[in-house]
C-alpha cells in the first residue's frame, strides 16, 4: 500500500499565494504539504475508498429521509467517526473570513498557535459581510482630525444600552466599550489607514480608507504572511466532539468531500448570522422576510449557529429582529453593499400616498436608521420616498452621507416631483405645505439634538426641521434590507460559548454577528465591525492559550 499512487490533491485546501517563498510552508499550504507533514493522519487508499462508501451511504440515507418528509435532528459528530476523506490538525480552527475571523486568526498567530481559517466562499468572494461594509467603527476617543466629537467609554456604554432598551448583556457591552479603542490601535499597527466617517453622528467614529473590502484584503495578507493557512470553498458542516463533550474540531464540506479539521485549542465560530438563508429568515423574522434585500454576503446562511445549538449551546438575543438600513429601493436584491441614505434627517419621508409617517429627527441618524428602515418595510407598504430640497442638497457634507444606486428624481415644483415619483400631487403638496408651516425658528445644528422642531403636525419632526422651499426638489425611493440577524449564541466576556445550563462548552468560541445579546429592536451605528474585531481578538487569544495546555 505504501507504493500506491496518492489521490489527487483536493483544491479546497490550497491557500492564495500571497507569499510564494519556498521557505514559508504556510504560504504554499496544500493537502499535499499537510499530508507530508502529518502522514499518520491520512488513510491508505483502500481505507479511504471504504470511508467514501460510508459517506455515500450516509448521503443516500439523508436524501431518502428528506424526500419522505422526515426531519433529521441535527447532532454534532463524534471525533474519529467515519465519513471524512482526510484529517488535519492545527492548534486553532477559525470558521469564517470576515473581520471577526480574521481578528481571531491574527491574534492566535501572535500567540504562537498554528491556525487554519476556513472560508465557505471562494477566494474572490471572501470577507463575509465586512467585504460589503464601509467598516466604520465607533469607539471611545478624544476629538481629532477624524471626528469632531469626543466620546468616552461610559458614553458609548450608555448609548449601546439605551438603544437596546437596556436589554443587552451589560458585561458584553462593557467589554466591547473598554476594548474598542485598543483594538483600533491594533488594527492601525497592522497597516489600516483611516479617514473621517459619516458626518453628524452620535459618537466618535473612523472609517478605513479602503473600506471593508480593503480591510479584509489587508488582514488576509497579514494572516498568510504570518504563517496562517486559509482554505477557501470549505464550509463547516458539523462540530467534532469527544465523549467529554469537548469540541475538538470541525467536519467541513469541500468540493471533493468531507474533511475532519481537528483543533487542539478550540474552534472559533465567526461565520455570521442566518440573514442569507430565506427559510430561516421566514421562520424567525416573519413571512415578509423572504423578500428583503440582502446587503451582505450570500454565504452567511446560519450553519455556525445551528451547529453550536446542536452541540448544546444556548440561544441568546433577539431572534425575531435584524439589522437593516434605509436603502435605495433600486438596489440589487443580493449583496447590494452600501446603497443607503445616511442623511435622511436633512429631509422628510413620505409614503406612497405622499404622507409623512415618522419623526425623521427623533434621534441621531446612527440611532434611527435601522429602526426606520424596518418601519418602512413593515408599516409603510415596503417602499417610501425620501425628499430633499436644495438647502440640504447643497451642503458640503451631503454627498458623503448617501450612496444611491441611481440619480434622484427631480421636480422644479412639488407637483412636478409628485408626478415624477407617482404619488398623488395634491397629497404631497399638502404634506410639504403643512410641514413648512409647522417648522419653528431656532439654530440648525446637525451635530447635536438641536431641538429645532415642528409644532402642530403629526408625526412631528423633533430636531433639524427646516422648510423644504428651495427647488428643484429631489426624491430617492427607499426601502429596508437585511444586513445581519440579532439572534445568536450565548457567550461570556471571554468569547466562550455557553450551554443551556450556563456553562462554557469546552473548546468552542464565538465572535461577531453570531453572538447574541448585543442588539434589540434597534442598532447603534458603527458597532458591528468593531464588535467583531474586539471579540475576535478575545476568542483567538483564548483558543491559542487553550492549545498550549492540550495533549500533543
Amino acid at each position: 500500500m505504501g507504493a500506491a499512487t496518492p489521490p489527487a490533491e483536493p483544491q479546497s485546501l490550497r491557500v492564495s499565494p500571497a507569499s510564494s517563498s519556498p521557505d514559508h510552508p504556510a504560504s504554499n499550504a496544500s493537502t499535499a504539504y499537510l499530508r507530508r507533514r502529518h502522514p499518520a493522519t491520512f488513510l491508505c487508499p483502500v481505507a479511504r475508498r471504504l470511508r467514501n462508501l460510508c459517506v455515500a451511504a450516509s448521503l443516500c440515507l439523508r436524501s431518502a429521509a428528506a424526500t419522505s418528509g422526515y426531519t433529521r435532528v441535527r447532532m454534532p459528530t463524534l471525533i474519529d467517526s467515519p465519513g471524512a476523506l482526510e484529517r488535519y490538525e492545527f492548534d486553532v480552527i477559525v470558521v469564517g473570513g470576515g473581520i471577526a475571523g480574521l481578528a481571531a486568526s491574527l491574534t492566535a498567530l501572535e500567540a504562537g498557535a498554528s491556525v487554519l481559517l476556513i472560508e465557505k466562499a471562494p477566494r474572490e468572494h471572501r470577507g463575509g459581510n465586512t467585504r460589503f461594509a464601509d467598516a466604520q467603527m465607533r469607539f471611545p476617543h478624544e476629538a481629532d482630525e477624524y471626528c469632531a466629537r469626543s466620546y468616552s467609554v461610559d458614553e458609548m456604554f450608555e448609548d449601546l444600552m439605551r438603544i437596546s432598551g437596556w436589554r443587552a448583556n451589560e458585561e458584553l457591552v462593557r467589554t466591547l466599550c473598554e476594548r474598542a479603542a485598543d483594538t483600533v490601535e491594533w488594527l492601525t499597527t497592522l497597516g489600516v489607514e483611516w479617514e473621517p466617517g459619516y458626518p453628524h453622528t452620535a459618537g466618535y467614529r473612523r472609517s478605513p480608507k479602503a473600506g471593508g473590502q480593503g480591510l479584509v484584503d489587508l488582514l488576509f495578507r497579514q494572516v498568510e504572511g504570518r504563517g496562517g493557512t486559509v482554505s477557501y470553498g470549505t464550509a463547516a458542516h458539523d462540530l467534532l466532539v469527544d465523549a467529554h463533550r469537548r469540541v475538538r474540531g470541525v467536519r467541513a464540506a469541500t468540493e471533493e468531500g468531507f474533511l475532519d479539521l481537528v483543533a487542539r485549542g478550540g474552534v472559533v465560530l465567526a461565520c455570521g448570522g442566518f440573514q442569507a438563508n430565506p427559510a430561516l429568515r421566514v421562520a424567525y423574522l416573519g413571512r415578509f422576510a423572504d423578500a428583503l434585500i440582502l446587503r451582505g454576503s450570500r454565504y452567511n446562511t446560519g450553519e455556525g449557529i445551528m451547529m453550536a445549538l446542536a452541540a448544546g449551546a444556548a440561544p441568546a438575543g433577539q431572534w425575531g429582529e435584524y439589522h437593516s438600513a434605509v436603502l435605495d429601493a433600486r438596489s440589487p436584491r443580493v449583496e447590494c453593499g452600501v446603497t443607503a441614505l445616511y442623511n435622511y434627517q436633512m429631509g422628510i419621508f413620505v409614503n406612497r400616498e405622499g404622507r409623512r409617517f415618522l419623526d425623521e429627527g427623533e434621534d441621531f441618524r446612527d440611532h434611527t436608521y435601522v429602526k426606520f428602515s424596518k418601519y418602512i418595510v413593515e408599516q409603510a407598504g415596503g417602499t417610501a420616498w425620501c425628499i430633499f430640497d436644495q438647502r440640504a442638497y447643497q451642503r458640503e457634507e451631503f454627498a458623503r452621507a448617501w450612496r444611491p444606486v441611481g440619480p434622484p428624481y427631480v421636480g422644479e415644483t412639488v407637483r412636478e416631483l409628485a408626478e415624477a415619483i407617482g404619488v398623488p400631487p395634491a397629497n404631497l403638496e399638502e404634506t410639504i405645505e403643512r410641514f413648512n408651516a409647522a417648522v419653528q425658528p431656532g439654530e440648525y445644528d446637525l451635530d447635536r439634538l438641536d431641538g429645532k422642531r415642528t409644532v402642530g403636525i403629526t408625526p412631528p419632526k423633533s430636531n433639524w426641521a427646516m422648510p423644504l422651499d428651495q427647488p428643484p426638489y429631489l426624491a430617492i425611493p427607499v426601502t429596508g434590507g437585511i444586513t445581519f440577524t440579532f439572534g445568536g449564541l450565548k457567550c461570556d466576556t471571554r468569547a466562550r460559548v455557553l450551554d443551556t445550563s450556563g456553562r462554557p462548552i469546552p473548546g468552542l468560541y464565538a465572535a461577531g454577528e453570531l453572538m447574541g445579546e448585543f442588539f434589540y429592536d434597534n442598532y447603534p451605528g458603527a458597532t458591528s465591525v468593531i464588535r467583531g474585531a474586539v471579540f475576535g481578538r478575545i476568542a483567538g487569544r483564548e483558543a491559542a492559550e487553550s492549545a498550549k495546555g492540550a495533549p500533543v
Side-chain angles (χ1 to χ4, degrees):
M1 283 198 222
T5 302
E9 175 186 324
Q11 301 296 310
S12 58
L13 273 170
R14 293 179 179 170
V15 299
S16 59
S19 170
S20 57
S21 167
D23 298 322
H24 186 232
S27 68
N28 297 307
S30 64
T31 305
Y33 164 71
L34 293 169
R35 185 182 292 114
R36 290 194 299 273
R37 188 172 179 183
H38 305 287
T41 66
F42 296 96
L43 297 172
C44 69
V46 171
R48 185 177 295 110
R49 282 194 290 272
L50 289 173
R51 182 170 284 189
N52 288 349
L53 289 172
C54 292
V55 173
S58 174
L59 291 174
C60 288
L61 288 171
R62 292 182 185 183
S63 176
T67 56
S68 67
Y70 171 77
T71 301
R72 182 173 71 102
V73 177
R74 192 181 184 103
M75 297 291 289
T77 299
L78 283 173
I79 194 163
D80 297 325
S81 294
L85 299 175
E86 294 179 340
R87 168 180 169 136
Y88 304 92
E89 292 190 7
F90 291 82
D91 290 332
V92 177
I93 305 293
V94 177
V95 181
I99 183 65
L102 290 164
S105 298
L106 281 166
T107 305
L109 288 165
E110 290 173 348
S114 61
V115 175
L116 170 64
L117 185 157
I118 63 173
E119 169 65 281
K120 181 180 178 182
R123 187 185 189 283
E124 61 271 20
H125 294 152
R126 69 185 183 182
N129 269 5
T130 313
R131 168 179 167 235
F132 296 92
D134 284 318
Q136 298 192 19
M137 300 185 204
R138 178 195 298 224
F139 60 99
H141 202 277
E142 294 298 316
D144 61 10
E145 68 271 28
Y146 301 113
C147 185
R149 181 184 297 276
S150 293
Y151 204 45
S152 70
V153 169
D154 287 342
E155 286 174 321
M156 182 172 174
F157 176 81
E158 176 75 18
D159 278 345
L160 269 62
M161 293 304 302
R162 176 176 60 85
I163 296 302
S164 77
W166 293 90
R167 295 179 65 190
N169 183 308
E170 294 190 26
E171 292 182 350
L172 294 177
V173 172
R174 178 64 70 177
T175 299
L176 169 59
C177 297
E178 291 178 347
R179 300 199 183 189
D182 176 68
T183 297
V184 171
E185 290 307 307
W186 175 72
L187 290 169
T188 303
T189 67
L190 294 173
V192 177
E193 296 181 338
W194 304 96
E195 65 183 8
Y198 293 134
H200 314 312
T201 57
Y204 183 95
R205 65 163 67 192
R206 291 184 198 171
S207 180
K209 279 187 176 180
Q213 179 73 70
L215 176 63
V216 297
D217 287 345
L218 169 66
L219 297 183
F220 269 110
R221 289 195 299 272
Q222 288 283 350
V223 168
E224 293 161 341
R226 293 169 186 243
T229 303
V230 178
S231 178
Y232 299 105
T234 305
H237 186 269
D238 289 305
L239 291 172
L240 298 175
V241 301
D242 63 21
H244 302 285
R245 62 186 289 273
R246 178 180 181 85
V247 173
R248 297 284 303 281
V250 171
R251 178 160 290 180
T254 72
E255 194 173 82
E256 293 81 19
F258 290 116
L259 304 175
D260 278 355
L261 309 173
V262 178
R264 285 179 284 269
V267 172
V268 179
L269 295 176
C271 44
F274 56 85
Q275 61 272 8
N277 187 325
L280 291 180
R281 287 207 309 257
V282 171
Y284 290 106
L285 305 180
R287 64 181 185 177
F288 70 91
D290 64 332
L292 291 172
I293 293 173
L294 178 65
R295 303 184 70 211
S297 173
R298 69 183 67 206
Y299 297 97
N300 287 10
T301 48
E303 287 90 348
I305 295 174
M306 297 304 160
M307 285 187 296
L309 295 179
Q318 193 174 24
W319 278 69
E321 277 291 357
Y322 60 100
H323 178 285
S324 184
V326 177
L327 306 181
D328 187 327
R330 300 166 293 183
S331 300
R333 303 300 303 178
V334 176
E335 296 184 339
C336 73
V338 181
T339 61
L341 276 64
Y342 292 127
N343 53 7
Y344 55 75
Q345 73 273 32
M346 300 184 193
I348 63 171
F349 288 115
V350 299
N351 60 21
R352 289 180 288 188
E353 296 302 312
R355 307 293 190 187
R356 289 180 60 249
F357 56 92
L358 55 76
D359 179 354
E360 301 90 348
E362 175 186 309
D363 199 345
F364 283 106
R365 187 274 313 159
D366 46 348
H367 291 168
T368 60
Y369 75 98
V370 170
K371 174 182 177 179
F372 287 178
S373 65
K374 290 186 283 192
Y375 196 90
I376 292 168
V377 168
E378 299 169 22
Q379 304 295 328
T383 58
W385 295 91
C386 196
I387 297 177
F388 306 95
D389 71 352
Q390 293 301 305
R391 191 196 313 271
Y393 185 68
Q394 295 300 326
R395 291 181 65 94
E396 178 274 330
E397 76 276 24
F398 185 91
R400 284 202 293 128
W402 77 340
R403 306 286 179 81
V405 299
Y409 292 79
V410 180
E412 289 295 332
T413 65
V414 172
R415 175 167 287 271
E416 187 176 309
L417 181 68
E419 291 170 349
I421 65 177
V423 305
N427 289 0
L428 187 61
E429 287 178 325
E430 180 186 9
T431 294
I432 292 181
E433 181 180 346
R434 293 187 66 226
F435 177 83
N436 290 348
V439 172
Q440 301 300 294
E443 182 184 359
Y444 182 65
D445 185 351
L446 288 161
D447 286 319
R448 64 183 179 88
L449 299 175
D450 63 5
K452 191 172 184 328
R453 66 191 189 282
T454 61
V455 172
I457 58 172
T458 301
K461 186 171 184 179
S462 300
N463 296 281
W464 314 301
M466 293 289 284
L468 278 75
D469 57 6
Q470 296 187 12
Y473 302 98
L474 312 173
I476 295 288
V478 291
T479 188
I482 186 167
T483 317
F484 61 87
T485 42
F486 287 174
L489 305 175
K490 190 166 185 63
C491 302
D492 65 12
T493 58
R494 294 169 59 184
R496 300 178 299 181
V497 177
L498 305 181
D499 67 14
T500 54
S501 298
R503 299 171 299 188
I505 297 176
L508 187 60
Y509 306 89
E513 293 173 359
L514 47 56
M515 298 179 76
E517 297 190 291
F518 278 92
F519 309 124
Y520 289 82
D521 296 315
N522 200 4
Y523 170 83
T527 54
S528 182
V529 173
I530 189 65
R531 171 185 63 163
V534 165
F535 282 94
R537 292 183 76 197
I538 293 171
R541 185 180 304 111
E542 290 282 337
E545 288 298 315
S546 178
K548 292 178 182 178
V552 178

